[in-house]
Amino acid sequence: MHTAHPDRYADMPYRRTGRSGLKLPALSLGLWHNFGPNRPVETQRAILRRAFDLGVTHFDLANNYGPPPGAAESALGEALAADFAPYRDELVISTKAGYLMWPGPYGEWGSRKYLLSSLDQSLKRMGLEYVDIFYSHRPDPETPLEETMGALHSAVQQGKALYAGVSNYSPEQTREAARILADLGTPLLIHQPRYSMLDRRPEEQGLLDTLDDLQVGSIAYSPLEQGLLTSRYLDGIPEDSRAASDSPFLNSDAVTGELVDRLRALDEIARSRGQSLAQMALAWVLRGGRVTSALVGASSPRQLEDSVAAIGNLDFDPAELTRIDALTTGA
């Protein structure tokens, strides 16, 4: 059993999620493609232990994380039993449902049957009685939003989730989801959008403004844009990189010479701030407090430590922001 560091809460800032009573660490750990049978169990457990010791109290999952789907939740379940049983009440654990998990018409999207069945499976894999946050992972174009939100409300009413969230919803869908949930008596806690210096859609489409208006929290995924906003691509495409493998999440065509030049210029700004490019990218997402938390992945404890070091400088002066905008939006 892990003995947590006594000073684990000394340095990490915690931000209130919307108008709720729940605070999240500025950086949360996403258990996406680094947790499953293709990774050494001890490495996975070492990342989780180090995260908690650094004040990263939020572990974010989804039913389909792995690979294979479900593997990340199973890996976390084993780690919780082995290392974190005494600390369950110090952890925020979230999961989602919306993408394909099993064959047939009930294995994905947003029906009540799928969402609540999936949550039961997730709880079993993780060995938990409840999760702290349960998300609708994506809007379902065919299921009425009232049914999807009603399923989230039922999960909370049944004690299987403490809070309800949505991910990948448009501003309009988010506003309607919040209205439905409020009428049911379960507030919308949080939205999880994709957001980075290179992906400004939450700004451009008005999602951040909508969340401010609704007093709903936000947690940004892919703040490092699938690794582009790290030192990995400053000299082109490494042979062992995600882009070199033509991953469905990042392919080699995206890494153009023009993009590499912009990444190098961003790296120069980061260095002038005493940060790596990845640290500056995380700090940028967290700037000004509009985003509650940023999700990071990690393949080693050292990589996680590097990400957490971003909290040492979350402030930007106007000149820095202007230069970053010029390099990332053409403004």
Side-chain angles (χ1 to χ4, degrees):
M1 189 65 64
H2 179 57
T3 300
H5 196 286
D7 296 329
R8 57 190 176 278
Y9 296 115
D11 298 318
M12 177 63 67
Y14 297 86
R15 297 179 170 188
R16 188 169 299 280
T17 311
R19 63 184 299 270
S20 77
L22 183 68
K23 293 183 178 181
L24 292 180
L27 292 177
S28 298
L29 179 63
L31 280 68
W32 185 38
H33 275 200
N34 290 326
F35 286 80
N38 59 340
R39 301 281 180 169
V41 171
E42 188 50 43
T43 299
Q44 297 175 56
R45 287 179 58 185
I47 293 168
L48 291 166
R49 291 193 294 261
R50 188 62 181 137
F52 189 53
D53 284 349
L54 290 170
V56 178
T57 54
H58 179 207
F59 300 155
D60 178 78
L61 301 97
N63 58 357
N64 64 330
Y65 288 178
E73 290 179 331
S74 296
L76 179 64
E78 293 171 5
L80 291 173
D83 290 326
F84 296 103
Y87 305 108
R88 174 62 184 100
D89 292 335
E90 296 183 44
L91 293 170
V92 173
I93 297 171
S94 61
T95 196
K96 314 175 198 73
Y99 287 91
L100 181 64
M101 277 298 289
W102 58 84
Y106 319 120
E108 64 177 326
W109 293 109
S111 71
R112 179 180 182 85
K113 179 171 177 58
Y114 168 66
L115 290 175
L116 295 181
S117 297
S118 178
L119 178 56
D120 284 343
Q121 292 181 18
S122 293
L123 293 174
K124 185 176 181 179
R125 282 190 289 267
M126 292 187 283
L128 294 174
E129 295 181 355
Y130 70 93
V131 291
D132 296 275
I133 307 169
F134 183 47
Y135 289 87
S136 168
H137 205 165
R138 60 173 173 171
D140 183 339
E142 297 183 348
T143 298
L145 195 55
E146 288 83 358
E147 178 174 339
T148 301
M149 294 304 105
L152 297 185
H153 170 67
S154 291
V156 173
Q157 292 298 106
Q158 294 167 5
K160 296 177 181 179
L162 301 185
Y163 299 95
V166 298
S167 181
N168 300 307
Y169 277 51
S170 71
E172 297 75 20
Q173 291 165 331
T174 301
R175 190 173 293 277
E176 182 64 4
R179 183 195 66 77
I180 294 167
L181 283 170
D183 287 346
L184 293 170
T186 296
L188 177 61
L189 174 81
I190 194 167
H191 188 300
Q192 186 172 131
R194 180 168 179 159
Y195 183 43
S196 74
M197 288 193 295
L198 296 177
D199 188 342
R200 304 291 190 93
R201 285 175 293 178
E203 297 173 8
E204 296 164 350
Q205 297 174 0
L207 178 63
L208 295 184
D209 291 337
T210 297
L211 298 178
D212 287 344
D213 184 45
L214 295 172
Q215 294 184 281
V216 169
S218 60
I219 179 167
Y221 75 87
S222 293
L224 301 182
E225 200 60 26
Q226 299 296 321
L228 284 177
L229 292 169
T230 70
S231 60
R232 293 276 284 160
Y233 297 94
L234 296 180
D235 296 311
I237 303 175
E239 291 183 0
D240 61 345
S241 67
R242 183 169 290 166
S245 68
D246 277 334
S247 159
F249 307 105
L250 179 65
N251 61 61
S252 57
D253 292 341
V255 188
T256 63
E258 184 268 340
L259 175 61
V260 171
D261 288 342
R262 289 193 287 139
L263 294 176
R264 289 172 178 166
L266 288 169
D267 184 61
E268 291 179 4
I269 300 172
R271 289 176 181 276
S272 72
R273 291 169 47 82
Q275 292 180 316
S276 67
L277 176 55
Q279 288 166 348
M280 184 180 75
L282 293 171
W284 182 90
V285 165
L286 293 167
R287 75 199 187 286
R290 295 189 80 186
V291 170
T292 312
S293 185
L295 274 170
V296 297
S299 58
S300 68
R302 176 59 185 274
Q303 186 180 26
L304 179 69
E305 291 167 357
D306 287 344
S307 293
V308 171
I311 65 175
N313 184 9
L314 299 180
D315 297 323
F316 290 80
D317 64 44
E320 288 174 332
L321 292 175
T322 298
R323 291 176 64 195
I324 289 170
D325 285 346
L327 291 165
T328 56
T329 68

